[in-house]
Amino acid sequence: MLTKTKITSVVAATLIGAGVMMSGIAQAADFNFRAVANSNENDEDYDGLVVFKDFVESHSNGRIGIDIFMGTQLCGNGVECLEGLEYGSLDIYISTSGGASAMYPYVQVLDLPYVLRDDRIAEEVLSGDFTRALRKQILADSDNTVRLMTIGNTGGWRNFANTKRTVKTPEDLKGLKIRTVVSDLPQELVRSLGASPTPIPWGDLFTSFQTGVVEGSKNGITDIMGMKFTDAGLKHVTLDGHAYMSALWYMNNDSFMDMPEDLRRVVVDGFSALQQATFASPKRKSIAAYKAFNEAGGELYVPTPEQKAQFAKAAQPVYGWFKDNIEDGDKWFTLLDTEAKKAEQRVQAEYNMDLN
């Protein structure tokens, strides 16, 4: 756990005051919560927060109020925001697994490639006991201050995209400079597939494509088109679906537990509604994004089952790296893999009933 400096009462008061000014419901509610997402109103995170806010405010008859803060008004990155959540200057926060990995390294298990087969499997796994196990661990590691409420989606699936050529197999990735975040695991994945991982800040990525600093990335189609990366030459996308873009939604545990049980139930149901909204939002938004990609001259390639198996085989060293370098890595990999296989069995049983 990182060393932390206690947030000052002056800063806390400023943040609370900002929340009051932004929402008229703040003074009327018995419980008012500050919800932060470091993205914008075009993002799936915002879609989820709007659903959550409407649900908990209406189902609590106004006893709960939610103030939404998008962007970096209250905190600028995963570590800073999670520390704010621990200290109670924030009540609700969403991060990617990469954004939380400095605090809770094991959440990188969600970035392990080709474990979750498709949306249906991912949604089953993330709605069940795997998320509860992560919740228990994060509570323990945060001295019972950070409570994982649910895991949704923020952008669909990560796929390989590049400016140079059609990628059909791992062999086609060799030598390409692929942009990654700073986290170790995605860099290990790119390296295992024969490409060169190159950490680049998100805001610098457009010009990095233009200048050739990087030649590819690992993004969902809504991010690609939202940033107009096709204008910078990113024209080849391979739909290998190597990682589900998980969104971890947390709440300050004291904020949650200070409510009576009936309101805790409303909040839990609200996060369930949020999760469903973020599961659905990327599917809807990707339709227009793929259309725009094609109109911009982009090329989509869908690997055959045999080719996807080649990607999965080439990525095997990443599992070993995770087990060797992350505390209890084997435990978390086994848990995710086991839950994925259980979900596949349940879905197959449903196919057996529904297809005949």
Side-chain angles (χ1 to χ4, degrees):
M1 183 63 64
L2 299 178
T3 302
K4 305 177 183 67
T5 303
K6 198 76 170 177
I7 191 165
T8 67
S9 58
V10 174
V11 174
T14 300
L15 297 182
I16 293 170
V20 170
M21 288 188 293
M22 288 189 66
S23 173
I25 199 169
Q27 294 180 358
D30 296 332
F31 298 91
N32 195 75
F33 301 128
R34 299 170 297 281
V36 174
N38 297 145
S39 50
N40 58 58
E41 293 185 3
N42 296 317
D43 198 87
E44 292 83 4
D45 306 338
Y46 182 71
D47 295 343
L49 277 174
V50 169
V51 169
F52 177 77
K53 174 181 171 71
D54 178 75
F55 185 97
V56 299
E57 289 183 347
S58 60
H59 285 73
S60 69
N61 289 314
R63 294 167 65 196
I64 300 174
I66 304 295
D67 299 315
I68 297 175
F69 296 87
M70 300 303 294
T72 56
Q73 299 176 69
L74 301 190
C75 56
N77 57 56
V79 170
E80 184 182 333
C81 295
L82 285 167
E83 288 183 342
L85 199 67
E86 290 188 356
Y87 298 136
S89 59
L90 314 176
D91 299 293
I92 295 164
Y93 176 63
I94 176 264
S95 81
T96 61
S97 50
S101 62
M103 302 280 281
Y104 315 117
Y106 43 85
V107 300
Q108 293 180 89
V109 68
L110 292 164
D111 288 331
L112 287 174
Y114 309 112
V115 178
L116 300 173
R117 185 181 72 194
D118 53 33
D119 282 301
R120 192 168 179 182
I121 300 305
E123 290 169 12
E124 285 231 10
V125 170
L126 299 180
S127 299
D129 289 339
F130 174 80
T131 297
R132 295 184 180 96
L134 271 184
R135 175 186 303 146
K136 183 178 179 181
Q137 189 66 55
I138 290 172
L139 275 169
D141 290 342
S142 65
D143 296 327
N144 221 40
T145 60
V146 176
R147 185 182 189 90
L148 178 66
M149 300 302 297
T150 193
I151 302 178
N153 186 266
T154 180
W157 290 81
R158 293 193 185 279
N159 298 297
F160 285 108
N162 77 94
T163 62
K164 294 296 185 183
R165 55 181 176 261
T166 304
V167 170
K168 297 183 178 180
T169 68
E171 188 70 25
D172 298 322
L173 281 171
K174 287 188 175 178
L176 290 178
K177 293 174 287 186
I178 304 294
R179 182 262 178 180
T180 68
V181 294
V182 178
S183 299
D184 291 328
L185 192 146
Q187 294 183 50
E188 288 298 323
L189 170 60
V190 168
R191 200 173 287 119
S192 73
L193 297 175
S196 299
T198 309
I200 294 287
W202 181 249
D204 297 338
L205 191 49
F206 188 96
T207 54
S208 296
F209 286 137
Q210 287 181 315
T211 58
V213 172
V214 292
E215 300 157 324
S217 67
K218 294 161 20 67
N219 291 113
I221 191 65
T222 55
D223 286 338
I224 289 171
M225 296 313 298
M227 295 294 287
K228 301 187 185 300
F229 287 150
T230 49
D231 293 346
L234 198 74
K235 296 293 182 74
H236 306 279
V237 172
T238 299
L239 300 179
D240 68 303
H242 56 270
Y244 188 77
M245 296 178 69
S246 302
L248 295 94
W249 290 86
Y250 320 87
M251 188 166 182
N252 175 275
N253 194 46
D254 286 342
S255 296
F256 179 75
M257 295 304 297
D258 283 347
M259 291 183 291
E261 184 174 333
D262 64 322
L263 292 187
R264 294 203 302 272
R265 183 183 297 270
V266 168
V267 168
V268 167
D269 287 345
F271 274 109
S272 177
L274 175 153
Q275 182 191 52
Q276 292 302 313
T278 66
F279 283 164
S281 182
K283 298 183 183 76
R284 179 68 180 88
K285 290 179 176 178
S286 68
I287 297 171
Y290 281 124
K291 183 175 183 291
F293 181 74
N294 288 329
E295 290 173 349
E299 175 205 54
L300 290 173
Y301 182 77
V302 180
T304 66
E306 293 77 18
Q307 289 168 337
K308 190 162 181 177
Q310 291 180 45
F311 280 104
K313 182 177 180 181
Q316 288 294 314
V318 179
Y319 306 145
W321 178 90
F322 182 80
K323 294 174 185 178
D324 292 341
N325 289 275
I326 302 299
E327 185 175 358
D328 293 327
D330 187 66
K331 164 191 158 182
W332 290 109
F333 168 76
T334 300
L335 180 59
L336 180 63
D337 188 55
T338 299
E339 291 301 311
K341 287 182 169 57
K342 288 179 182 177
E344 290 172 8
Q345 291 171 356
R346 288 194 296 270
V347 168
Q348 185 57 52
E350 291 168 1
Y351 279 143
N352 294 340
M353 294 183 286
D354 295 340
L355 297 179
N356 298 298

